[in-house]
Amino acid sequence: MNRDEQSWSAVRRRWVGALVAVCAFGVVALLHTLIPAEGGMGTHRKLGLSPCGMVARTGYPCPGCGVTTSMTSMAHGRIAYAAHCQIFGVVAMLSLVAMGIAGVMQAIRGRNFLKIVRIGLWKWYSLAGVVVLLMGWGLKVALGVADGTYPIGR
């Protein structure tokens, strides 16, 4: 790679880093504008989304119930409540902030800080995410059944 290609590569890395940072922190800013719903789920309704069909049919939350509320709570600094809503939301928010910071560092320095998200590792990141999501869901349902919160309306 000649010198011109190297400088273009650094410029491109900076732009990619800036784009990642803007997207990641834009989502955090959006979440901060919302007020977390009480009851551990339902914040997504403030974004115009429909209610959870699984809750409507069964009285039990789906695996994604509480993730938006959890991430919104994290954006407001309510970590304990976020963990109560859905632990996956805590992990997702921390990952989002880490990606934003890596993007800022890459935009400033021109070095590839986003290389931690290698294509070959996506299957492992995805598997870990699914495991945390399902474990958080199982915990939410188990605790809800134990304290009488679930099933809802039954």
Side-chain angles (χ1 to χ4, degrees), residues 31-100:
L31 290 168
H32 193 269
T33 66
L34 300 174
I35 297 171
E38 295 303 320
M41 58 187 182
T43 304
H44 70 285
R45 302 280 291 136
K46 296 172 184 172
L47 295 170
L49 300 172
S50 61
C52 176
M54 186 168 165
V55 171
R57 283 190 292 282
T58 68
Y60 293 96
C62 76
C65 278
V67 174
T68 307
T69 304
S70 177
M71 292 181 74
T72 301
S73 298
M74 286 290 289
H76 287 271
R78 297 175 58 192
I79 299 168
Y81 184 65
H84 167 75
C85 294
Q86 177 37 296
I87 196 71
F88 178 76
V90 174
V91 173
M93 182 60 104
L94 293 174
S95 299
L96 187 64
V97 170
M99 287 296 292

Side-chain angles (χ1 to χ4, degrees), residues 71-140:
M71 292 181 74
T72 301
S73 298
M74 286 290 289
H76 287 271
R78 297 175 58 192
I79 299 168
Y81 184 65
H84 167 75
C85 294
Q86 177 37 296
I87 196 71
F88 178 76
V90 174
V91 173
M93 182 60 104
L94 293 174
S95 299
L96 187 64
V97 170
M99 287 296 292
I101 292 170
V104 168
M105 294 301 295
Q106 184 165 311
I108 292 170
R109 304 283 313 270
R111 293 182 53 205
N112 192 0
F113 284 94
L114 295 170
K115 68 183 173 191
I116 58 171
V117 190
R118 295 213 168 119
I119 298 298
L121 296 178
W122 271 109
K123 62 183 173 187
W124 298 109
Y125 295 141
S126 299
L127 178 63
V130 168
V131 167
V132 171
L133 177 67
L134 293 176
M135 288 176 63
W137 175 53
L139 181 64
K140 182 179 185 94

